[in-house]
Amino acid sequence: MARLRVRMVVTADDFGYCPRRDEGIVEAFLAGAVTSVSLLVNGSAAESAAELARRHQIPTGLHANLSEGRPVGPARHGASSLIGSEGFFLGKMGFRRAVAAGEVILAQVREELEAQLSRFRELLGRDPTHVDGHQHVHVLPGVCRVFAEALQACGVRFTRLPLERGVDGCAWLEAPARAFAGAVEQDARAAIGPFVHHGLLPRWPAFWSCCCCPGAHRWTDALTRALEVTAELMAHPGYPSVPPLGGCGEGPDAFSCSSDRLHELRVLTAPALRAQLARDGVQLCTLEDLDRKRPREGAPSKAARETLLEPSPP
């Protein structure tokens, strides 16, 4: 076995989106392929997902959602900058356009985030292990500061920094996806300051890599670019949604219905991937495992911050 060089948290997003997705996520967790999940509290299966998390003792965080479905907080009762005329969030790109145009009232973002944190506690009976953003909304300009302040206030220390260097140049991604990945990376770099200021970045040399590659070799290739000792693999495994079941109030989207969800489940649980990770010195772990190793005092080192800020390779 290779010398340990990377400790990796594997997080399955969209827990609570639909029972079929959740079934696959739990299957991956029980197989040891997933070590953490992020729960959509406005998902159609949020309550049953919470029960699964309790039953199987799955480390669970909040997948804060400002872009898909119906809100949980005051916005669900009437006019809000977060929703459209039908009462739904503005969508993945619609929310981004509204933020860029200065049309989103950040106080309403704070209200919705706090409502989702409260709903999480109702469902799980405890605080989340971490909070990240559905469709990376948590790193958007202005929004990231609201997230940082709210998470610090409620004692959540871990969030996701979606920095996978070079992902915007991956030929296997279609042009719109590459452009979106590049925009997310740019936003994530700008979010480092607010996150660090509020104590949210892990205080060890860390590179949180959000990989959406369709094959095991591409996932492990991404990890070989991370010279640091910790990483996160963001994944969306599960059995594809079958309409009308699933979603966050509007039914399941094409992403959730795609056969890619099953492909990710099969890749994650394949013995070949576990063997490759072992050969590459990658050890799967939980956020709790990493927390035990992190220094309790002091800010992230200058070297760690400079590593995070390195530009993507051309």
Side-chain angles (χ1 to χ4, degrees):
M1 181 180 293
R3 178 178 63 85
L4 175 64
R5 58 183 297 273
V6 177
R7 290 183 176 87
M8 184 169 72
V9 177
V10 181
T11 302
D13 285 356
D14 299 345
F15 198 46
Y17 195 87
C18 82
R20 285 178 55 82
R21 293 281 302 279
D22 296 344
E23 179 185 354
I25 289 171
V26 172
E27 182 179 318
F29 174 78
L30 295 178
V34 160
T35 63
S36 171
V37 300
S38 291
L39 175 68
L40 284 163
V41 297
N42 72 334
S44 64
E47 292 188 6
S48 59
E51 171 57 30
L52 289 170
R54 290 192 298 269
R55 183 189 313 165
H56 298 292
Q57 298 183 312
I58 305 174
T60 306
L62 172 65
H63 203 42
N65 185 1
L66 299 173
S67 57
E68 182 178 355
R70 293 193 183 277
V72 171
R76 73 185 187 277
H77 298 304
S80 169
S81 66
L82 303 181
I83 60 174
S85 59
E86 300 298 318
F88 297 113
F89 285 130
L90 302 174
K92 176 179 175 179
M93 301 311 297
F95 182 68
R96 281 168 163 76
R97 287 192 293 268
V99 169
E103 297 169 354
V104 171
I105 299 172
L106 294 180
Q108 294 175 349
V109 170
R110 178 72 179 255
E111 287 179 341
E112 179 62 25
L113 178 56
E114 289 177 343
Q116 292 189 22
L117 284 163
S118 178
R119 179 60 177 153
F120 182 98
R121 296 186 190 101
E122 291 175 1
L123 290 169
L124 273 297
R126 59 167 178 80
D127 288 329
T129 58
H130 63 278
V131 177
D132 51 42
H134 185 50
Q135 298 169 341
H136 306 300
V137 295
H138 68 303
V139 297
L140 287 170
V143 175
C144 65
R145 189 171 300 278
V146 173
F147 265 70
E149 292 170 353
L151 269 55
Q152 184 182 49
C154 68
V156 174
R157 295 177 303 204
F158 295 100
T159 192
R160 172 179 294 158
L161 189 65
L163 276 175
E164 184 181 334
R165 288 167 290 183
V167 71
D168 57 342
C170 290
W172 48 267
L173 280 176
E174 294 182 359
R178 284 201 306 272
F180 179 74
V184 168
E185 181 181 4
Q186 183 177 358
D187 290 336
R189 292 180 187 279
I192 291 174
F195 285 173
V196 170
H197 178 73
H198 292 279
L200 295 183
L201 279 183
R203 290 179 180 172
W204 56 81
F207 172 53
W208 292 84
S209 177
C210 294
C211 306
C212 50
C213 313
H217 66 288
R218 287 167 175 163
W219 279 341
T220 53
D221 284 350
L223 283 171
T224 63
R225 298 197 296 268
L227 301 179
E228 298 79 7
V229 296
T230 66
E232 180 188 16
L233 178 66
M234 178 191 71
H236 297 83
Y239 294 98
S241 298
V242 177
L245 297 179
C248 299
E250 302 172 274
D253 61 10
F255 181 88
S256 191
C257 296
S258 169
S259 61
D260 289 345
R261 308 287 68 76
L262 180 58
H263 182 73
E264 284 200 40
L265 175 61
R266 288 174 172 167
V267 169
L268 281 171
T269 56
L273 176 61
R274 300 296 294 275
Q276 183 64 52
L277 293 174
R279 285 193 295 271
D280 290 343
V282 178
Q283 179 185 76
L284 302 191
C285 65
T286 67
L287 285 171
E288 183 181 5
D289 295 331
L290 295 179
D291 196 30
R292 285 196 292 265
K293 296 178 180 297
R294 96 177 188 157
R296 292 296 172 180
E297 302 296 335
S301 69
K302 180 180 178 182
R305 292 191 64 179
E306 287 177 348
T307 298
L308 288 168
L309 289 166
E310 285 177 3
S312 294

